[in-house]
Amino acid sequence: MNKVEELAQIIKSSSNTVFFGGAGVSTESGLKDFRSKDGLYYEKYKYPPEEILSHHFFIKYPKEFYEFYRKKLNSLNYKPNAAHKVLAYLEEKGLLKAVITQNIDGFHQMAGSKNVIELHGSVLRNYCMKCNEFYDAEKIFAEDNIPRCDCGGIIKPDVVLYEENLDDKSIQKAIKYISEAEVLIIGGTSLNVYPAAGLINYFKGKYLVLINKEQTPYDRKCTLTIYDSIGIVLEKIKEYIEKG
């Protein structure tokens, strides 16, 4: 039995499996990640991307923020990939309790997942900083200038920027699912982004599984490690499950 088939058997026999994913889940859709050698942090800009995506930069230079944001983080130009679709399939079959994601692209919901905990928010939600009026992503990405509400306030994406705190309700939900899980599958993440990566420490279950193209700081703690494309691995898992 190979590792992928072993994982399929683990998922089928478990009553409580949770998925924890990062940027690598969406790179197969065409979106760039941040920290890989081809990621956004290695591209050259007038300002470092980490600074552009910070709270103070957004407040001080909203025009420059939105120029970068529209160019690099517009997930409306892309579609969910095989990984997103298989995770939605597993949830539908009752084999997956929840998806916990560090991504902000909204692909999990687009693919059909219902129970998604977004640790860093979503580009699909945007709110006026003055009156809190909601705006969808289409409005934000269609404009050329700083998006403003009818009341005159600046609209801000509901994403967690550097210097901002993660949503406490999302954190608590993630901790609950991770701490109660029998199987935790970690996919497409370097586990170098905190505090999100630290949530893994709450896992007390039986199988800690890693699917990633590269090694992470948590590999030695894992029950099973699969170094491969997460989309390919999950598609194979679906095939094994459908075969029975």
Side-chain angles (χ1 to χ4, degrees), residues 32-35 38-43 45 49 68 72-73:
K32 283 197 171 187
D33 63 9
F34 291 87
R35 288 172 172 76
D38 298 317
L40 293 180
Y41 288 170
Y42 286 87
E43 295 183 5
Y45 304 97
F68 178 89
K72 298 298 181 181
L73 299 178

Side-chain angles (χ1 to χ4, degrees), residues 8 10-18 85-98 112-115 177 182-183 241:
I10 288 172
I11 293 171
K12 284 172 65 177
S13 62
S14 171
S15 60
N16 194 333
T17 297
V18 171
K85 294 173 184 176
V86 174
L87 289 168
Y89 162 84
L90 292 174
E91 182 186 37
E92 183 184 355
K93 293 295 182 183
L95 298 172
L96 187 68
K97 289 278 189 181
S113 289
K114 300 289 190 287
N115 193 16
Y177 277 109
E182 179 185 15
V183 181
I241 289 171

Side-chain angles (χ1 to χ4, degrees), residues 56-113:
H56 82 269
F57 191 92
F58 174 81
I59 298 300
K60 192 172 183 180
Y61 305 110
K63 184 175 184 295
E64 288 82 355
F65 169 90
Y66 270 112
E67 285 175 358
F68 178 89
Y69 181 80
R70 291 190 179 103
K71 186 176 181 181
K72 298 298 181 181
L73 299 178
N74 186 356
S75 62
L76 300 184
N77 290 333
Y78 305 89
K79 295 179 181 179
N81 60 53
H84 302 104
K85 294 173 184 176
V86 174
L87 289 168
Y89 162 84
L90 292 174
E91 182 186 37
E92 183 184 355
K93 293 295 182 183
L95 298 172
L96 187 68
K97 289 278 189 181
V99 169
I100 302 168
T101 180
Q102 299 175 75
N103 297 337
I104 60 173
D105 48 53
F107 285 160
H108 287 294
Q109 291 92 330
M110 291 181 201
S113 289

Side-chain angles (χ1 to χ4, degrees), residues 32-173:
K32 283 197 171 187
D33 63 9
F34 291 87
R35 288 172 172 76
S36 72
K37 63 180 180 181
D38 298 317
L40 293 180
Y41 288 170
Y42 286 87
E43 295 183 5
K44 299 298 181 183
Y45 304 97
K46 183 179 178 181
Y47 303 95
E50 290 122 310
E51 183 176 357
I52 297 173
L53 296 174
S54 67
H55 178 81
H56 82 269
F57 191 92
F58 174 81
I59 298 300
K60 192 172 183 180
Y61 305 110
K63 184 175 184 295
E64 288 82 355
F65 169 90
Y66 270 112
E67 285 175 358
F68 178 89
Y69 181 80
R70 291 190 179 103
K71 186 176 181 181
K72 298 298 181 181
L73 299 178
N74 186 356
S75 62
L76 300 184
N77 290 333
Y78 305 89
K79 295 179 181 179
N81 60 53
H84 302 104
K85 294 173 184 176
V86 174
L87 289 168
Y89 162 84
L90 292 174
E91 182 186 37
E92 183 184 355
K93 293 295 182 183
L95 298 172
L96 187 68
K97 289 278 189 181
V99 169
I100 302 168
T101 180
Q102 299 175 75
N103 297 337
I104 60 173
D105 48 53
F107 285 160
H108 287 294
Q109 291 92 330
M110 291 181 201
S113 289
K114 300 289 190 287
N115 193 16
V116 182
I117 301 166
E118 296 171 315
L119 296 175
H120 296 143
S122 172
V123 301
L124 303 183
R125 299 186 299 270
N126 305 271
Y127 297 94
C128 172
M129 297 178 70
K130 187 175 180 181
C131 74
N132 208 40
E133 181 70 21
F134 171 84
Y135 289 91
D136 60 27
E138 283 78 4
K139 173 179 173 59
I140 305 304
F141 289 118
E143 296 191 8
D144 291 328
N145 297 312
I146 302 168
R148 291 188 177 274
C149 177
D150 294 339
C151 77
I154 293 176
I155 301 169
K156 180 183 181 296
D158 186 20
V159 299
V160 179
L161 302 176
Y162 288 102
E163 303 163 352
E164 295 180 345
N165 294 324
L166 273 63
D167 175 66
D168 188 58
K169 287 184 179 179
S170 297
I171 288 289
Q172 293 307 315
K173 281 181 71 176

Side-chain angles (χ1 to χ4, degrees), residues 14 16-19 97 175-185 202-207:
S14 171
N16 194 333
T17 297
V18 171
F19 180 84
K97 289 278 189 181
I175 289 173
K176 184 176 188 296
Y177 277 109
I178 290 172
S179 63
E180 293 177 355
E182 179 185 15
V183 181
L184 179 62
I185 302 172
Y202 287 93
F203 179 67
K204 306 179 185 70
K206 189 174 181 181
Y207 299 102

